[in-house]
Amino acid sequence: MAHRTIPIHPAGTAPTVLPPTLVGEPGRVRGLLSALERAVCGEVGRALPAGAWLRELRVDDDEAVVALAPAVGRPEVVQVAFETLRRLLRDTDIYVGAARH
C-alpha cells in the first residue's frame, strides 16, 4: 500500500514558495513568464507569485518546457499555459504538464 504525505501548515501561514527554474535567453524567458503569469493567474482566479504555480520554464530555439506546480496543474490550467505559449512561440515544440513535486 502506497503512502502519501500531505503537508499541513498552521492557520495563517503559507508554505514556502521557491523561485522556479528558468532556463533560456533572459529577455525571452521574462516575456514568456509574464504572459504565462497573466494567463495562468487569470485561469486560477487570483494573483499568485510565480513560485506558487510554476516549477520550471525552459526555452531554447525549438522547444519550450513548462512544469506547473501539482496543485495548479489541472487540465484547464495546463491548456491555458499551452495555448499561451503556442500563440507566442510559433514553430516551437511545446510541452506543458504538472511537475512531479
Side-chain angles (χ1 to χ4, degrees):
M1 176 178 199
H3 294 281
R4 182 173 169 196
T5 302
I6 301 172
I8 299 173
H9 303 279
T13 67
T16 303
V17 176
L18 300 175
T21 300
L22 304 174
V23 178
E25 191 276 313
R28 186 177 190 198
V29 169
R30 274 192 306 274
L32 293 171
L33 180 58
S34 178
L36 283 169
E37 189 165 35
R38 285 189 304 275
V40 169
C41 290
E43 180 64 31
V44 171
R46 61 188 167 123
L48 297 169
W53 58 271
L54 181 66
R55 294 294 178 261
E56 180 178 30
L57 171 60
R58 292 181 185 273
V59 183
D60 63 27
D61 291 337
D62 58 357
E63 183 176 272
V65 177
V66 173
L68 299 171
V72 296
R74 302 185 318 258
E76 58 274 13
V77 177
V78 170
Q79 187 65 33
V80 164
F82 176 81
E83 293 296 333
T84 299
L85 290 179
R86 189 173 77 162
R87 181 175 42 82
L88 297 170
L89 299 173
R90 300 196 187 281
D91 299 323
T92 301
D93 294 332
I94 299 168
Y95 304 93
V96 180
R100 295 177 205 253
H101 56 334

